[in-house]
Amino acid sequence: EAGVTQFPSHSVIEKGQTVTLRCDPISGHDNLYWYRRVMGKEIKFLLHFVKESKQDESGMPNNRFLAERTGGTYSTLKVQPAELEDSGVYFCASSPLATTGNTEAFFGQGTRLTVV
Amino acid sequence: AQSVAQPEDQVNVAEGNPLTVKCTYSVSGNPYLFWYVQYPNRGLQFLLKYITGDNLVKGSYGFEAEFNKSQTSFHLKKPSALVSDSALYFCAVRGGSYIPTFGRGTSLIVHP
């Protein structure tokens, strides 16, 4: 069974450009999360989808970030326009829908974004 | 609000020696606690979790963690470290929210 896959693995863009990150969760996982880790800092929550609906987007830093999850399958995270402080590793994770919090999430390998 | 503290940026240990990676947490209600590991150029891999029951939890690759409610800690341990255990380790907690909160990570370096 395929795990969580993210594309691209690396992206280097100039300040002001647009970048779109993609995440394909494990098939059947209704929960999809986006996280970001800036070098040396904690992994910070960005947002949470349940199927195609945004359940919690309290971690999105500003309106330059737009996440979508078409049909409750894959998800995209667009940064437009990118700023230097957006650099970091963006992780996607998925988990089955559960009524309790005891299910671990499965992570992708991350996309390393560098804005120059 | 829930939070996780990993007080050590880096832990150094000699191969064959026991290792401990520390984690303390703050959460409302009963905590669900997790440890993940990230090897170079890889995603986070789940190691183990505490939900309820026995305070000593065993996980992958010979790792275990001890839940201590009074000290609000969930330290990761292994009796005998391997060079291949060198990686970045993240502790996470989940309380009433379904969103896990992660620590900043601890780099474990095992010397031959």
Side-chain angles (χ1 to χ4, degrees), chain A residues 20-108:
Chain A
T20 300
L21 313 181
R22 173 170 170 144
C23 168
D24 286 77
I26 292 173
S27 177
H29 281 190
D30 290 329
N31 287 312
L32 187 149
Y33 308 87
W34 282 99
Y35 287 86
R36 175 174 71 177
R37 184 174 190 248
V38 173
M39 180 71 74
K41 304 284 181 118
E42 68 272 16
I43 298 174
K44 295 199 74 173
F45 166 77
L46 295 178
L47 88 158
H48 170 215
F49 283 100
V50 176
K51 299 183 180 180
E52 69 276 6
S53 299
K54 292 177 184 175
Q55 192 76 9
D56 184 343
E57 52 184 330
S58 61
M60 294 287 263
N62 51 61
N63 59 10
R64 295 185 292 103
F65 289 74
L66 175 64
E68 295 180 324
R69 189 179 183 191
T70 307
T73 55
Y74 71 91
S75 175
T76 57
L77 180 64
K78 180 190 289 188
V79 185
Q80 179 183 29
E83 297 290 343
L84 299 179
E85 64 265 25
D86 300 333
S87 297
V89 180
Y90 289 77
F91 290 103
C92 175
S94 71
S95 68
L97 194 62
T99 56
T100 58
N102 62 357
T103 304
E104 65 271 20
F106 296 84
F107 281 76

Side-chain angles (χ1 to χ4, degrees), chain B residues 16-31:
Chain B
N17 283 0
L19 70 88
T20 299
V21 182
K22 296 179 180 177
C23 170
T24 58
Y25 66 90
S26 174
V27 70
S28 298
N30 294 323

Side-chain angles (χ1 to χ4, degrees), chain A residues 10 33 35 37 40-43 45 48 56 89 91 95 98-110, chain B residues 4 9 32 34 36 38 41-46 49 51 88 90 94-95 97-106:
Chain A
H10 293 84
Y33 308 87
Y35 287 86
R37 184 174 190 248
K41 304 284 181 118
E42 68 272 16
I43 298 174
F45 166 77
H48 170 215
D56 184 343
V89 180
F91 290 103
S95 68
T99 56
T100 58
N102 62 357
T103 304
E104 65 271 20
F106 296 84
F107 281 76
Q109 83 281 11
Chain B
V4 170
D9 289 336
Y32 300 121
F34 306 82
Y36 287 82
Q38 185 183 19
N41 300 314
R42 304 284 296 276
L44 275 72
Q45 295 180 33
F46 168 75
K49 64 184 177 184
I51 303 301
L88 196 53
F90 292 93
R94 179 189 262 159
S97 161
Y98 292 154
I99 309 301
T101 296
F102 286 81
R104 59 189 296 165
T106 298

